[in-house]
């Protein structure tokens, strides 16, 4: 919803939220977590939802925001992006810390024992912490001063990116994932804003969509073999798990992109989006 903020009919929000909750999430989550999880049976791994939840939300946000069109004044007559800045960074920071706190429940809920829970808590702490600093340093070097709101997006990016592999990567791997997540979110948000010219006020596509995708791939790069049949590419397991992760990502993206494009098209031509 954040990607479509400030310019969408409330009734439209209600309807598409209902359809996502009723149809989109249950189907692809069943492929991974259900009673007959064919993706998981193949070896696909997404412990707490980098793909099933965040990537799906990010893709939906992208399709919706692209169809909705930008806020008035977001792009000038030459098509150049104009920043519309957040007006309360303090509350934004509080929101991010509340999310981070909640993420321990989000990632930890499916833990089967205390040893696994401790690994999940470690990785869910390290990745966002490192990603925050990574996004901060990156914007600092490039813009001459650190950017608080982009650093906060870095925190969320690190959280999203560690969600899929929180139980199966080491704290060291979590730190590397965090560093990379900080880069992914900064480049991703700018790419969506300046190149694709899709108006996403909160950077939801960069945070949830791209880091959800990256976090799911990261399992195939860094898995240490706990909780999965195979190790990752950088941990001695070769390309096998990475290939399965890519296949799973493609299946989930196809499902969401087709379904939500239809949903938004129907909404646009009936009750309207704006």
């Amino acid at each position: 919803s954040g990607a479509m903020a400030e310019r969408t009919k409330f009734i439209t929000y209600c309807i598409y939220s209902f359809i996502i909750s009723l149809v989109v999430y249950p189907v692809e989550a069943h492929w991974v977590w259900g009673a007959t999880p064919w993706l998981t049976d193949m070896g696909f791994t997404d412990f707490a939802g980098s793909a099933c939840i965040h990537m799906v939300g990010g893709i939906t946000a992208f399709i919706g925001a692209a169809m909705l069109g930008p806020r008035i004044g977001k792009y000038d007559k030459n098509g150049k992006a104009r920043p519309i800045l957040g007006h309360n960074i303090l509350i934004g920071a509080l929101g991010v810390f509340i999310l981070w706190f909640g993420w321990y429940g989000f990632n930890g809920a499916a833990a089967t024992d205390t040893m696994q829970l401790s690994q999940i808590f470690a990785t869910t702490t390290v990745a966002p912490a490192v990603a925050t600093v990574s996004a901060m340093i990156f914007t600092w070097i490039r813009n001459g001063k650190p950017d608080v709101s982009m650093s906060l997006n870095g925190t969320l990016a690190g959280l999203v990116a560690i969600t899929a592999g929180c139980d199966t990567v080491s704290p060291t791997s979590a730190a590397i994932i965090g560093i990379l997540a900080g880069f992914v979110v900064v480049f991703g948000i700018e790419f969506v804003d300046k190149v694709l010219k899709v108006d996403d006020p909160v950077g939801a596509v960069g945070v949830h969509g791209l880091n959800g995708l990256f976090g799911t791939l990261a399992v195939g790069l860094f898995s240490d073999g706990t909780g999965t049949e195979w190790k990752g590419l950088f941990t001695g397991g070769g390309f096998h798990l990475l290939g399965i992760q890519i296949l799973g990502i493609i299946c989930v993206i196809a499902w969401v992109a087709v379904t939500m494009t239809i949903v938004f098209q129907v909404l646009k031509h009936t009750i309207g989006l704006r």
Side-chain angles (χ1 to χ4, degrees):
S1 294
M4 296 168 69
E6 302 178 21
R7 59 197 193 283
T8 311
K9 279 185 181 172
F10 184 64
I11 185 69
T12 308
Y13 271 137
C14 295
I15 293 168
Y16 84 71
S17 300
F18 180 76
I19 294 168
I20 291 167
S21 306
L22 185 73
V23 181
V24 179
Y25 284 123
V27 168
E28 45 84 8
H30 189 269
W31 295 350
V32 178
W33 300 326
T36 50
W38 62 271
L39 281 177
T40 295
D41 290 343
M42 287 170 50
F44 181 77
T45 301
D46 178 7
F47 187 77
S50 285
C52 294
I53 295 167
H54 296 285
M55 187 179 78
V56 169
I59 293 164
T60 300
F62 180 76
I63 295 166
M67 282 196 200
L68 185 58
R71 290 166 292 175
I72 293 166
K74 173 63 194 173
Y75 295 99
D76 65 20
K77 59 181 186 295
N78 305 318
K80 190 173 180 302
R82 304 224 298 260
I84 302 176
L85 298 173
H87 61 280
N88 197 329
I89 295 293
L90 189 68
I91 292 291
L94 176 64
V96 168
F97 280 110
I98 292 170
L99 271 168
W100 190 342
F101 181 65
W103 227 283
Y104 291 108
F106 184 65
N107 282 359
T112 48
D113 57 57
T114 49
M115 198 64 217
Q116 190 185 39
L117 189 66
S118 63
Q119 179 175 4
I120 291 168
F121 277 17
T123 55
T124 305
T125 305
V126 169
V130 172
T132 309
V133 176
S134 147
M136 181 188 77
I137 292 171
F138 186 43
T139 54
W140 196 343
I141 290 168
R142 232 178 34 166
N143 306 331
K145 58 179 186 293
D147 180 335
V148 179
S149 79
M150 189 58 88
S151 303
L152 292 170
N153 270 333
T155 311
L156 296 176
L159 285 163
V160 170
I162 202 61
T163 293
C166 59
D167 70 318
T168 185
V169 305
S170 69
T172 309
S173 297
I176 298 166
I177 291 167
I179 291 169
L180 295 170
F183 283 89
V184 170
V185 74
V186 176
F187 280 123
I189 286 176
E190 296 208 345
F191 184 74
V192 169
D193 190 51
K194 294 190 165 75
V195 180
L196 301 180
K197 295 197 173 11
V198 170
D199 182 15
D200 174 6
V202 296
V205 178
V207 169
H208 298 280
L210 295 174
N211 277 286
L213 184 103
F214 165 62
T216 312
L217 284 178
V219 176
L221 299 173
F222 296 103
S223 168
D224 62 13
T226 50
T228 54
E229 289 175 61
W230 298 283
K231 293 189 172 188
L233 177 62
F234 300 149
T235 40
F239 282 96
H240 188 81
L241 183 58
L242 184 61
I244 291 172
Q245 295 301 99
I246 291 167
L247 179 68
I249 286 167
I250 290 167
C251 295
V252 174
I253 288 175
W255 164 245
V256 186
V258 172
T259 314
M260 289 314 297
T261 300
I262 293 167
V263 169
F264 281 126
Q265 283 289 1
V266 170
L267 285 170
K268 187 171 186 171
H269 292 103
T270 50
I271 58 171
L273 297 175
R274 286 187 81 99

